[in-house]
């Protein structure tokens, strides 16, 4: 396997810490099983917080990945710097098997610096949508084609 991409799921917001940690630990098991040359993981800033006096789940993840021969790079990014219409920081973990090039942190595409595109707002992205009627919202919510982690079935 060339590259494994793991994106944090927005449904984690309502979960307790143990459930969130279990989902993150699954990523490590996938990496151990598939042994991709490289991987990337994106998740919420809460991943950096200690859980009941223990090491953070992120430190546990990094420790496990180092044990199985991966090199890792950790970075914090502001998603609005990449065209996402929200001012939120996210944790990015990049990794590669030893002997392979560690992925670079992606360069910002949006921001205040010359040569970058202007940051976009939620209003700019959603402002021209027609109002959705209540019955349309219910139909969309119950659709079997929507996986609320951000992918379609």
């Amino acid at each position: 396997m060339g590259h494994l991409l793991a994106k944090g799921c927005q449904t984690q917001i309502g979960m307790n810490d143990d459930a969130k940690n279990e989902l993150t630990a699954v990523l490590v098991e996938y990496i151990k099983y598939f042994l991709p040359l490289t991987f990337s993981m994106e998740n919420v800033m809460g991943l950096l917080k200690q859980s009941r006096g223990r090491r953070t789940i992120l430190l546990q993840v990094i420790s496990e990945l180092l044990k199985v021969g991966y090199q890792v790079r950790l970075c914090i990014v502001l998603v609005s710097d990449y065209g996402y219409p929200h001012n939120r920081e996210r944790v990015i973990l990049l990794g590669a098997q030893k002997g392979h090039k560690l992925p670079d942190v992606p360069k910002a595409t949006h921001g205040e610096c010359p040569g970058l595109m202007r940051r976009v707002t939620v209003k700019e992205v959603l402002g021209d949508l027609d109002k959705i009627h209540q019955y349309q919202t219910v139909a969309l919510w119950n659709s079997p084609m929507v996986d609320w982690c951000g992918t379609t079935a």
Side-chain angles (χ1 to χ4, degrees):
M1 174 181 275
H3 184 82
L4 179 68
L5 170 66
K7 182 186 180 311
C9 176
Q10 291 301 314
T11 58
Q12 289 184 10
I13 293 169
M15 294 180 174
N16 65 32
D17 285 345
D18 290 336
K20 290 178 193 178
N21 292 350
E22 186 176 325
L23 285 175
T24 304
V26 168
L27 167 67
V28 175
E29 295 307 313
Y30 281 171
I31 291 171
K32 287 177 171 179
Y33 180 81
F34 290 110
L35 297 173
L37 296 178
T38 59
F39 69 87
S40 57
M41 180 188 87
E42 173 264 334
N43 215 310
V44 298
M45 290 293 290
L47 206 60
L48 298 174
K49 293 181 182 171
Q50 280 189 310
S51 180
R52 295 188 208 126
R54 300 179 299 203
R55 291 188 305 169
T56 67
I57 185 67
L58 187 60
L59 286 177
Q60 293 172 34
V61 165
I62 290 171
S63 177
E64 285 296 312
L65 294 169
L66 293 173
K67 285 180 191 174
V68 295
Y70 281 88
Q71 51 188 327
V72 296
R73 175 176 288 142
L74 175 67
C75 58
I76 311 278
V77 300
L78 185 62
V79 295
S80 61
D81 287 348
Y82 298 90
Y84 187 75
H86 197 77
N87 247 359
R88 180 172 285 176
E89 290 181 317
R90 301 292 276 189
V91 174
I92 306 290
L93 185 65
L94 304 169
Q97 290 182 5
K98 287 187 179 163
H100 291 276
K101 184 180 183 312
L102 192 60
D104 292 323
V105 177
K107 292 183 180 180
T109 56
H110 293 68
E112 307 297 322
C113 297
L116 296 179
M117 292 181 271
R118 184 180 61 76
R119 288 187 179 106
V120 294
T121 66
V122 171
K123 184 177 181 181
E124 290 171 323
V125 172
L126 302 177
D128 62 347
L129 292 177
D130 292 333
K131 290 186 177 182
I132 297 176
H133 296 287
Q134 183 176 1
Y135 71 89
Q136 290 172 314
T137 303
V138 171
L140 177 63
W141 184 263
N142 293 324
S143 170
M145 298 300 290
V146 176
D147 169 356
W148 289 100
C149 282
T151 60
T152 56

